[in-house]
Amino acid sequence: RIGFRRRANVHPVESIDDPAIAIAALGTAFMELGGLPTQEQRDALSVALQRHTRRSARDAEEEMILGRWLVTECKGAEAAIARLSRRLCKLDRAGSFEPLMWVLNDVGVAARDGMLSDRQKDALAEIARTFKLS
């Protein structure tokens, strides 16, 4: 329904054609870097996706499910951050960075005690390098 089609002999991340799917997957990976996600964090990600990528609640939930699968296909959240941020940068460097940062900010605010983990801070540094901000 959301238009994702897996291609043969290609990593699933390379099959992403919609920046919103990459943002949802990055949000999922970022959330998981902080430890086992709570329902509050998952709800925050869903609301952030709806607000910042202009998706319906149903689309946001489906993109989160697809995002979780993509993180698994990358063999973990840290590897997913690197691969997904490169894909997102290729898809829409200028137009997708700001929505991504807003989504990650909302997920970070919902984190335990409002503090980012060291792994989440490293992920932000990785994303900045990918988008050539530092």
Side-chain angles (χ1 to χ4, degrees):
R1 194 174 91 73
I2 57 176
F4 179 79
R5 302 273 187 260
R6 184 170 182 180
R7 293 178 270 178
N9 300 322
V10 175
H11 192 279
V13 169
E14 300 306 315
S15 297
I16 297 172
D17 291 328
D18 183 354
I21 294 172
I23 291 171
L26 279 160
T28 300
F30 187 77
M31 179 175 59
E32 290 177 6
L33 288 173
L36 188 62
T38 64
Q39 186 60 47
E40 179 181 303
Q41 290 170 311
R42 287 190 292 271
D43 291 345
L45 176 57
S46 178
V47 169
L49 290 170
Q50 292 170 55
R51 183 179 318 134
H52 302 299
T53 63
R54 293 183 172 84
R55 297 294 206 230
S56 68
R58 183 176 177 189
D59 286 347
E61 291 300 321
E62 288 180 6
E63 289 168 352
M64 286 173 57
I65 292 167
L66 180 57
R68 178 70 195 105
W69 176 75
L70 288 165
V71 170
T72 302
E73 289 294 303
C74 290
K75 309 289 189 251
E78 290 173 356
I81 292 287
R83 183 168 237 159
L84 287 161
S85 59
R86 283 192 308 267
R87 182 63 186 158
L88 182 60
C89 191
K90 285 181 189 176
L91 282 174
D92 184 19
R93 179 187 205 127
S96 61
F97 182 74
E98 187 174 336
L100 171 63
M101 288 296 103
W102 281 113
V103 167
L104 297 183
N105 179 66
D106 291 356
V107 169
V109 168
R112 290 168 181 78
D113 300 326
M115 300 296 293
L116 295 180
S117 72
D118 289 339
R119 293 172 65 198
Q120 287 173 319
K121 292 174 186 174
D122 291 343
L124 290 174
E126 173 71 26
I127 292 167
R129 278 190 300 276
T130 301
F131 280 84
K132 300 197 184 340
L133 299 175
S134 63

